[in-house]
Structures are given as structure tokens and as C-alpha cells.
Amino acid sequence: MKKRLVLDAVSIIVGNILLAAGVAFFIIPNNILTGGVAGLSIALSPFIKLDIELMITIIIIINFVLGYLFLGKKFALKTLASSILYPVLLKFMGFLNYAPQLEPMLASIYGGIITGLGIGIVFRVGSSTGGMDIPPLILGKYTKVKSHTWLIVVDGLTILLGLSTFGLNDVLVGLLSAYTMSKMVNAVQTFGGQQAKQVFIITTEIDQVLTMIFKDIDRGATVIDAHGGYTKEKRPLIMTVLMTEQYARLEKLVKAIDPDAFLIVSDATEVHGHGFYEK
């Protein structure tokens, strides 16, 4: 338990260092209209004549208070570390006065990668960066619309605000940052999971296919009661999850048993449990 807490604390610190570095060295110096607190601060800078780092700190404090009021004390405690760390680290890195000389497009992409890596690490331990993910969480709690939909809406409004003040070219450059950031967050969230295939098999040779999966592939399976949408006939469905490299052998053996078998295959990004990754 103590080890887990230490690892979580280290992850929050490292994540915030990366987030602050991406914003201080890539986003702010190049006025990149990205999502989140930094993007909103840059979009508001033509209207509010405050230092961008100060504006980021103010927005984080406002979000923290909103999170405490609407999402509860437990959520606020999880967010507290980042709400303090991020502004302090951002201010410190601002004093370094370091900004790589990059084209805006490169600054946007690499800024998105680094900030996304930092945010993903913080999210992975169940914490929050204290940023613009809080308003969507609040809206998701009190409306019938899901939080991730509100997150898109909030980022969209930030971009529209930037469009009115910076122009289309800056907005398009900023979209690259937002996209790479979201892809990196997703990559970090699923890192360490085993790539696998989820396979649904429709066949008239249920027992033979099940025996083959158990003995030859050495995997489990679940039989789901189903029926044809057109014929209304009962047709059991086999569902199994296996390593990606096992799929070719499975397909070959299924077709040997039943040439008319119907297989539906999809990627399973992360699988936990017996025979796979176990925490």
C-alpha cells in the first residue's frame, strides 16, 4: 500500500513536470491554441491583459474551487497536488527563459506530445491535472450528456474563441497540438496492456470449435445465446479473447472444422485476468 502511494506521488510529480515543460517551452512561446488551460489562456490573452502564466494559475484555482463545490472533497484532494505543482513548475520553467527555435507546426506537435504524456501519466494514477477537464466532469454529472462529450464542446469553444482573435491559420496549427495531445493521453492510458483479439464465432459446430479453442489454442471461451435477426432461429455465439499472434491459427482451425463459420474480429487494447496481464 505504501509502495503504491509512493509510486502514485512520483507519477503525479513526473506528469506535472512534463506538462509544465510542454507548455512553458513549446505552447506559450509560440502562442499555440491548444486545448486545456494553456490554450484557453492564450485565446483570452487579447482580451485580458495579464501574463499568460498568471492567467493559467487563476483558471486552475477557479477550476479547483468548482471541483470542490460540485464534485466533492475527495475529488478536490486528488486534484490538490497538481493544482499546486503545475503553476509552481510552470513559473519555475518560465524563469529559465528557454524556448527551442521551432516552426509553429513542429512546436504544436511536440508540445502536444509532451503535454499529452504528462497528462496521461497523471490520469493513469486516477488523479487530475486540475485543468479544463473539471468543467466537463461537472457538466457530465449534472446533465444527461457524457463528460467526454462536454470536453469536446469546451475545447471547441476555446478554438472558436481563438478563431475570432488569432485567425484560421493559428487555429489549424493548434488543432495539431490538441490531436497529438489526445492521442498521447490515450497511448499512456493503455500502455502496458497486452494487445489481443476479441473474436466472435458463429458456427453450426459449436462443440468441436469449443474443444479446439480449449485444447489447441489453450484459451477460454463464452457461449452467448443469440438468434438470427431475419430467420429468428436460435444460434449460439462463441466469444473468445486470445493473443494477436494466436489468431491466424484459430482462424485456420475454425475453417477446417466449419468452412462456413462466420468470424467477427476486433482489437482488444488491454486485457486483464487469468492468462493475460494480472495486476
Side-chain angles (χ1 to χ4, degrees):
M1 183 65 178
K2 187 176 180 181
K3 182 180 178 182
R4 179 76 262 174
L5 289 173
V6 171
L7 289 174
D8 286 355
V10 170
S11 295
I12 290 172
I13 293 169
V14 171
N16 276 280
I17 289 172
L18 290 169
L19 175 58
V23 171
F25 301 149
F26 294 91
I27 302 300
I28 292 178
N30 295 282
N31 281 331
I32 304 298
L33 285 169
T34 186
V37 175
L40 179 60
S41 300
I42 290 170
L44 288 173
S45 60
F47 304 105
I48 304 174
K49 302 301 180 182
L50 288 176
D51 179 74
I52 290 178
E53 293 174 6
L54 176 59
M55 205 181 309
I56 288 174
T57 302
I58 292 171
I59 294 173
I60 287 174
I61 292 172
I62 291 172
N63 281 332
F64 177 80
V65 173
L66 290 174
Y68 179 82
L69 293 175
F70 293 99
L71 299 176
K73 183 179 179 180
K74 187 176 180 181
F75 176 85
L77 288 173
K78 280 187 174 182
T79 309
L80 182 61
S82 292
S83 297
I84 296 172
L85 263 178
Y86 176 44
V88 171
L89 288 168
L90 188 61
K91 195 68 178 176
F92 171 74
M93 290 179 186
F95 286 138
L96 297 178
N97 199 27
Y98 170 74
Q101 297 299 312
L102 298 173
E103 291 291 328
M105 192 174 294
L106 286 175
S108 178
I109 292 171
Y110 282 98
I113 290 172
I114 295 171
T115 56
L117 179 60
I119 292 169
I121 291 172
V122 175
F123 281 1
R124 193 174 172 89
V125 297
S127 188
S128 166
T129 59
M132 293 306 294
D133 54 328
I134 292 178
L137 288 172
I138 295 171
L139 290 168
K141 179 179 179 180
Y142 291 97
T143 68
K144 295 181 180 180
V145 181
K146 292 183 178 179
S147 298
H148 65 81
T149 302
W150 281 116
L151 186 60
I152 295 171
V153 171
V154 170
D155 283 345
L157 291 174
T158 302
I159 291 169
L160 286 175
L161 181 61
L163 180 62
S164 66
T165 55
F166 286 85
L168 181 60
N169 186 73
D170 288 334
V171 167
L172 293 176
V173 170
L175 283 173
L176 286 173
S177 177
Y179 176 76
T180 52
M181 179 172 63
S182 66
K183 296 297 286 186
M184 184 56 68
V185 170
N186 184 62
V188 174
Q189 292 285 77
T190 57
F191 178 76
Q194 289 175 291
Q195 294 293 316
K197 296 287 185 184
Q198 181 183 44
V199 185
F200 291 94
I201 306 169
I202 301 173
T203 176
T204 55
E205 305 295 335
I206 290 285
D207 292 336
Q208 288 187 57
V209 171
L210 284 172
T211 300
M212 176 272 293
I213 292 172
F214 299 149
K215 292 185 176 180
D216 297 326
I217 307 297
D218 193 25
R219 287 294 168 196
T222 299
V223 178
I224 302 170
D225 290 329
H227 63 270
Y230 180 75
T231 64
K232 307 300 181 185
E233 293 180 3
K234 289 185 178 180
R235 187 169 295 178
L237 186 71
I238 298 173
M239 189 275 286
T240 185
V241 178
L242 61 158
M243 298 294 191
T244 300
E245 59 269 21
Q246 293 178 306
Y247 173 69
R249 177 171 168 77
L250 173 77
E251 182 186 27
K252 182 179 179 180
L253 292 174
V254 168
K255 289 298 183 180
I257 295 170
D258 180 7
D260 297 321
F262 191 78
L263 286 81
I264 305 167
V265 187
S266 61
D267 290 325
T269 306
E270 188 169 351
V271 184
H272 298 277
H274 181 67
F276 292 92
Y277 176 67
E278 296 187 56
K279 286 187 176 180

